[in-house]
Coordinates of all heavy atoms in Angstrom, one line a residue:
K235 N 23.2 -12.5 13.2 CA 24.5 -12.1 13.4 C 25.5 -13.3 13.6 O 26.7 -13.1 13.5 CB 24.6 -11.1 14.5 CG 23.9 -9.8 14.3 CD 24.0 -8.9 15.6 CE 23.3 -7.6 15.3 NZ 23.3 -6.7 16.6
K236 N 25.0 -14.4 13.8 CA 25.8 -15.6 14.1 C 26.5 -16.1 12.8 O 25.8 -16.1 11.7 CB 25.0 -16.7 14.8 CG 24.6 -16.3 16.2 CD 23.8 -17.4 16.8 CE 23.4 -17.1 18.2 NZ 22.6 -18.1 18.9
K237 N 27.6 -16.7 12.9 CA 28.4 -17.2 11.8 C 27.6 -18.3 11.1 O 27.6 -18.5 9.9 CB 29.7 -17.8 12.2 CG 30.6 -18.3 11.1 CD 31.9 -18.8 11.6 CE 32.8 -19.3 10.5 NZ 34.1 -19.8 11.0
G238 N 26.8 -19.1 11.9 CA 26.1 -20.3 11.3 C 24.7 -19.9 10.7 O 24.0 -20.8 10.3
Y239 N 24.4 -18.6 10.7 CA 23.0 -18.3 10.2 C 23.0 -18.6 8.7 O 23.9 -18.2 7.9 CB 22.8 -16.8 10.4 CG 21.5 -16.3 9.8 CD1 20.2 -16.6 10.5 CD2 21.4 -15.6 8.6 CE1 19.0 -16.1 9.9 CE2 20.2 -15.2 8.1 CZ 19.0 -15.4 8.7 OH 17.9 -15.0 8.2
R240 N 21.9 -19.2 8.2 CA 21.7 -19.5 6.8 C 20.3 -19.2 6.4 O 19.3 -19.3 7.1 CB 22.0 -21.0 6.6 CG 23.4 -21.5 6.9 CD 24.4 -21.0 5.9 NE 25.7 -21.6 6.1 CZ 26.6 -21.0 6.9 NH1 26.4 -19.9 7.6 NH2 27.8 -21.6 7.0
L241 N 20.2 -18.8 5.1 CA 18.9 -18.6 4.5 C 18.4 -20.0 4.0 O 19.2 -20.9 3.7 CB 19.1 -17.7 3.3 CG 19.4 -16.2 3.6 CD1 19.7 -15.5 2.3 CD2 18.3 -15.5 4.4
P242 N 17.1 -20.1 3.8 CA 16.6 -21.4 3.3 C 16.8 -21.5 1.8 O 16.9 -20.4 1.1 CB 15.1 -21.3 3.7 CG 14.8 -19.8 3.7 CD 16.0 -19.1 4.2
A243 N 16.8 -22.7 1.3 CA 16.8 -22.9 -0.1 C 15.5 -22.5 -0.7 O 14.5 -22.7 -0.1 CB 17.2 -24.3 -0.5
V244 N 15.5 -21.9 -1.9 CA 14.3 -21.6 -2.7 C 14.5 -22.3 -4.0 O 15.4 -21.9 -4.8 CB 14.1 -20.1 -2.8 CG1 12.8 -19.8 -3.6 CG2 14.0 -19.4 -1.5
I245 N 13.6 -23.2 -4.3 CA 13.7 -24.0 -5.6 C 12.6 -23.5 -6.5 O 11.4 -23.7 -6.3 CB 13.5 -25.5 -5.3 CG1 14.4 -26.0 -4.2 CG2 13.7 -26.3 -6.6 CD1 15.9 -25.8 -4.5
P246 N 12.9 -22.8 -7.6 CA 11.9 -22.3 -8.5 C 11.6 -23.4 -9.6 O 12.4 -24.1 -10.2 CB 12.6 -21.1 -9.2 CG 14.1 -21.5 -9.1 CD 14.3 -22.3 -7.9
M247 N 10.3 -23.6 -9.8 CA 9.8 -24.6 -10.8 C 8.7 -23.9 -11.7 O 7.9 -23.1 -11.2 CB 9.1 -25.8 -10.1 CG 10.1 -26.5 -9.2 SD 9.3 -27.9 -8.3 CE 8.2 -27.1 -7.2
V248 N 8.8 -24.2 -12.9 CA 7.8 -23.6 -13.9 C 7.1 -24.7 -14.7 O 7.8 -25.6 -15.2 CB 8.6 -22.7 -14.9 CG1 7.6 -22.2 -16.0 CG2 9.3 -21.6 -14.2
L249 N 5.8 -24.7 -14.7 CA 5.0 -25.6 -15.5 C 4.5 -24.8 -16.7 O 3.8 -23.8 -16.5 CB 3.8 -26.1 -14.7 CG 2.8 -27.0 -15.5 CD1 3.4 -28.2 -16.0 CD2 1.6 -27.3 -14.6
Y250 N 4.9 -25.3 -17.9 CA 4.6 -24.6 -19.1 C 3.7 -25.5 -20.0 O 4.0 -26.6 -20.2 CB 5.9 -24.2 -19.9 CG 5.7 -23.7 -21.3 CD1 5.0 -22.5 -21.6 CD2 6.2 -24.5 -22.4 CE1 4.9 -22.1 -22.9 CE2 6.1 -24.0 -23.7 CZ 5.4 -22.8 -23.9 OH 5.3 -22.4 -25.2
N251 N 2.5 -25.0 -20.5 CA 1.6 -25.8 -21.3 C 1.4 -25.3 -22.7 O 0.5 -25.7 -23.4 CB 0.3 -26.0 -20.6 CG -0.6 -24.7 -20.7 OD1 -0.1 -23.6 -21.0 ND2 -1.9 -24.9 -20.6
G252 N 2.3 -24.4 -23.1 CA 2.2 -23.8 -24.5 C 2.5 -24.8 -25.6 O 3.1 -25.9 -25.4
E253 N 2.1 -24.5 -26.8 CA 2.3 -25.4 -27.9 C 3.7 -25.3 -28.5 O 4.2 -26.3 -29.1 CB 1.3 -25.0 -29.1 CG -0.1 -25.1 -28.7 CD -1.1 -24.5 -29.8 OE1 -0.9 -25.0 -30.9 OE2 -1.9 -23.7 -29.5
F254 N 4.4 -24.2 -28.3 CA 5.7 -24.1 -28.8 C 6.8 -24.6 -27.9 O 6.6 -24.5 -26.6 CB 6.0 -22.6 -29.1 CG 5.0 -22.0 -30.1 CD1 4.1 -21.0 -29.6 CD2 4.9 -22.4 -31.4 CE1 3.2 -20.5 -30.5 CE2 4.0 -21.9 -32.3 CZ 3.1 -20.9 -31.8
K255 N 7.9 -25.0 -28.4 CA 9.0 -25.5 -27.6 C 9.5 -24.4 -26.7 O 9.6 -23.2 -27.2 CB 10.1 -26.0 -28.5 CG 11.3 -26.6 -27.7 CD 12.4 -27.2 -28.7 CE 13.6 -27.6 -27.9 NZ 13.3 -28.8 -27.0
W256 N 9.8 -24.7 -25.5 CA 10.4 -23.6 -24.5 C 11.8 -23.4 -24.9 O 12.7 -24.3 -24.7 CB 10.2 -24.1 -23.1 CG 10.6 -23.0 -22.1 CD1 11.8 -22.9 -21.5 CD2 9.8 -22.0 -21.6 NE1 11.8 -21.8 -20.6 CE2 10.6 -21.2 -20.7 CE3 8.5 -21.6 -21.9 CZ2 10.1 -20.1 -20.0 CZ3 8.0 -20.4 -21.2 CH2 8.8 -19.7 -20.3
T257 N 12.1 -22.2 -25.4 CA 13.5 -21.9 -25.8 C 14.1 -20.8 -24.9 O 15.3 -20.4 -25.1 CB 13.5 -21.4 -27.2 OG1 12.7 -20.3 -27.4 CG2 13.1 -22.6 -28.2
A258 N 13.3 -20.3 -23.9 CA 13.9 -19.2 -23.0 C 14.9 -19.9 -22.2 O 14.9 -21.1 -21.8 CB 12.8 -18.7 -22.2
S259 N 15.9 -19.1 -21.8 CA 17.0 -19.6 -21.0 C 16.5 -20.0 -19.6 O 15.6 -19.4 -19.0 CB 18.1 -18.5 -20.8 OG 19.0 -18.9 -19.8
K260 N 17.1 -21.1 -19.1 CA 16.7 -21.6 -17.7 C 17.7 -21.1 -16.7 O 17.5 -21.3 -15.5 CB 16.6 -23.1 -17.7 CG 15.4 -23.6 -18.5 CD 15.2 -25.1 -18.2 CE 16.2 -26.0 -18.8 NZ 15.9 -27.4 -18.7
Q261 N 18.8 -20.5 -17.2 CA 19.8 -20.0 -16.3 C 19.8 -18.5 -16.2 O 19.7 -17.8 -17.2 CB 21.2 -20.5 -16.7 CG 21.5 -21.9 -16.4 CD 22.9 -22.3 -16.7 OE1 23.4 -22.2 -17.8 NE2 23.6 -22.6 -15.6
F262 N 19.9 -18.0 -15.0 CA 19.8 -16.5 -14.8 C 21.0 -15.8 -15.5 O 20.9 -14.7 -16.1 CB 19.8 -16.2 -13.3 CG 19.7 -14.7 -13.1 CD1 18.5 -14.0 -13.3 CD2 20.9 -14.0 -12.7 CE1 18.5 -12.6 -13.1 CE2 20.8 -12.6 -12.5 CZ 19.6 -11.9 -12.7
R263 N 22.2 -16.4 -15.4 CA 23.4 -15.7 -15.9 C 23.3 -15.4 -17.3 O 23.9 -14.4 -17.8 CB 24.7 -16.5 -15.5 CG 24.8 -17.8 -16.3 CD 26.1 -18.5 -16.0 NE 27.3 -17.7 -16.4 CZ 28.2 -17.2 -15.6 NH1 28.1 -17.5 -14.3 NH2 29.2 -16.6 -16.1
E264 N 22.5 -16.2 -18.1 CA 22.4 -15.9 -19.5 C 21.6 -14.7 -19.8 O 21.6 -14.2 -21.0 CB 21.8 -17.1 -20.2 CG 22.7 -18.4 -20.2 CD 22.2 -19.5 -20.9 OE1 21.2 -19.4 -21.7 OE2 22.7 -20.6 -20.7
L265 N 21.0 -14.1 -18.8 CA 20.3 -12.8 -19.0 C 21.3 -11.6 -18.8 O 20.9 -10.5 -19.0 CB 19.2 -12.7 -18.0 CG 17.8 -12.3 -18.5 CD1 17.3 -13.2 -19.6 CD2 16.8 -12.3 -17.4
I266 N 22.5 -11.9 -18.3 CA 23.5 -10.8 -18.1 C 24.4 -10.6 -19.3 O 24.9 -11.6 -19.9 CB 24.4 -11.2 -16.9 CG1 23.6 -11.6 -15.6 CG2 25.4 -10.1 -16.6 CD1 22.8 -10.4 -15.1
K267 N 24.5 -9.4 -19.7 CA 25.3 -9.0 -20.9 C 26.8 -9.5 -20.6 O 27.3 -9.2 -19.5 CB 25.3 -7.5 -21.2 CG 23.9 -7.1 -21.7 CD 24.0 -5.6 -22.0 CE 22.6 -5.1 -22.6 NZ 22.7 -3.6 -22.8
S268 N 27.4 -10.0 -21.6 CA 28.8 -10.4 -21.6 C 29.1 -11.3 -20.3 O 30.2 -11.2 -19.7 CB 29.7 -9.2 -21.6 OG 29.5 -8.4 -22.7
N269 N 28.1 -12.2 -20.0 CA 28.3 -12.9 -18.7 C 29.6 -13.8 -18.8 O 30.1 -14.1 -17.7 CB 27.1 -13.8 -18.5 CG 26.9 -14.9 -19.6 OD1 27.5 -15.9 -19.5 ND2 26.0 -14.6 -20.5
E270 N 30.0 -14.2 -20.0 CA 31.2 -15.1 -20.0 C 32.5 -14.4 -19.5 O 33.4 -15.1 -19.2 CB 31.4 -15.6 -21.5 CG 31.8 -14.5 -22.5 CD 30.6 -13.7 -23.0 OE1 29.5 -14.0 -22.6 OE2 30.8 -12.7 -23.8
L271 N 32.4 -13.1 -19.4 CA 33.6 -12.4 -18.9 C 33.8 -12.4 -17.4 O 34.9 -12.2 -16.9 CB 33.5 -10.9 -19.3 CG 33.5 -10.5 -20.8 CD1 33.3 -9.0 -21.0 CD2 34.8 -11.0 -21.5
F272 N 32.7 -12.7 -16.7 CA 32.8 -12.5 -15.3 C 32.8 -13.8 -14.4 O 32.8 -13.7 -13.2 CB 31.5 -11.7 -14.9 CG 31.4 -10.4 -15.7 CD1 30.3 -10.3 -16.5 CD2 32.4 -9.5 -15.8 CE1 30.2 -9.1 -17.3 CE2 32.3 -8.4 -16.6 CZ 31.2 -8.2 -17.4
G273 N 32.8 -14.9 -15.1 CA 33.0 -16.2 -14.3 C 32.0 -16.4 -13.3 O 30.8 -16.2 -13.5
N274 N 32.4 -16.7 -12.1 CA 31.5 -17.0 -10.9 C 31.2 -15.7 -10.1 O 30.6 -15.8 -9.1 CB 32.2 -18.0 -10.0 CG 32.4 -19.4 -10.6 OD1 31.5 -19.8 -11.5 ND2 33.4 -20.1 -10.3
Y275 N 31.6 -14.6 -10.6 CA 31.4 -13.3 -9.9 C 30.1 -12.6 -10.2 O 29.9 -11.5 -9.8 CB 32.6 -12.4 -10.1 CG 33.8 -13.0 -9.6 CD1 34.8 -13.4 -10.6 CD2 34.1 -13.2 -8.3 CE1 36.0 -14.0 -10.1 CE2 35.3 -13.8 -7.9 CZ 36.2 -14.2 -8.8 OH 37.4 -14.8 -8.4
I276 N 29.1 -13.3 -10.8 CA 27.8 -12.8 -11.0 C 26.8 -13.8 -10.5 O 27.1 -15.0 -10.4 CB 27.5 -12.5 -12.5 CG1 27.8 -13.7 -13.4 CG2 28.3 -11.3 -13.0 CD1 27.4 -13.5 -14.9
A277 N 25.6 -13.3 -10.2 CA 24.5 -14.1 -9.6 C 24.1 -15.1 -10.7 O 24.1 -14.9 -11.9 CB 23.4 -13.3 -9.2
D278 N 23.7 -16.3 -10.2 CA 23.2 -17.4 -11.1 C 22.4 -18.4 -10.4 O 22.6 -18.6 -9.2 CB 24.4 -18.1 -11.8 CG 24.0 -18.9 -13.0 OD1 22.9 -18.6 -13.6 OD2 24.7 -19.9 -13.3
F279 N 21.4 -18.9 -11.1 CA 20.6 -20.1 -10.6 C 20.0 -20.7 -11.8 O 19.9 -20.1 -12.9 CB 19.6 -19.7 -9.6 CG 18.5 -18.8 -10.1 CD1 17.3 -19.3 -10.7 CD2 18.6 -17.4 -10.1 CE1 16.3 -18.5 -11.2 CE2 17.6 -16.6 -10.6 CZ 16.4 -17.2 -11.1
E280 N 19.4 -21.9 -11.7 CA 18.7 -22.5 -12.8 C 17.4 -23.0 -12.3 O 17.3 -23.5 -11.1 CB 19.5 -23.7 -13.3 CG 18.8 -24.4 -14.5 CD 19.7 -25.4 -15.2 OE1 20.9 -25.4 -15.0 OE2 19.1 -26.3 -15.9

């Protein structure tokens, strides 16, 4: 309940060993339809 309460950082890392180039998006916002319309008002991480 305190103003200074904070959640810990969570850093996601992916190790990929496939033969094909990784082309999947690394940013969450790119999974959101029409994300360009909403600026900073949608969740995002890389």
Side-chain angles (χ1 to χ4, degrees):
K235 294 177 180 178
K236 293 181 179 179
K237 182 178 180 180
Y239 177 78
R240 296 290 185 272
L241 295 171
V244 180
I245 310 296
M247 299 180 289
V248 175
L249 174 63
Y250 170 64
N251 77 337
E253 298 173 53
F254 304 110
K255 182 178 175 62
W256 186 263
T257 57
S259 172
K260 292 192 288 184
Q261 286 190 294
F262 180 78
R263 69 177 295 118
E264 293 184 14
L265 229 57
I266 305 295
K267 290 180 180 178
S268 305
N269 66 78
E270 66 279 358
L271 297 177
F272 310 117
N274 295 327
Y275 298 108
I276 54 175
D278 192 25
F279 68 88
E280 183 172 340

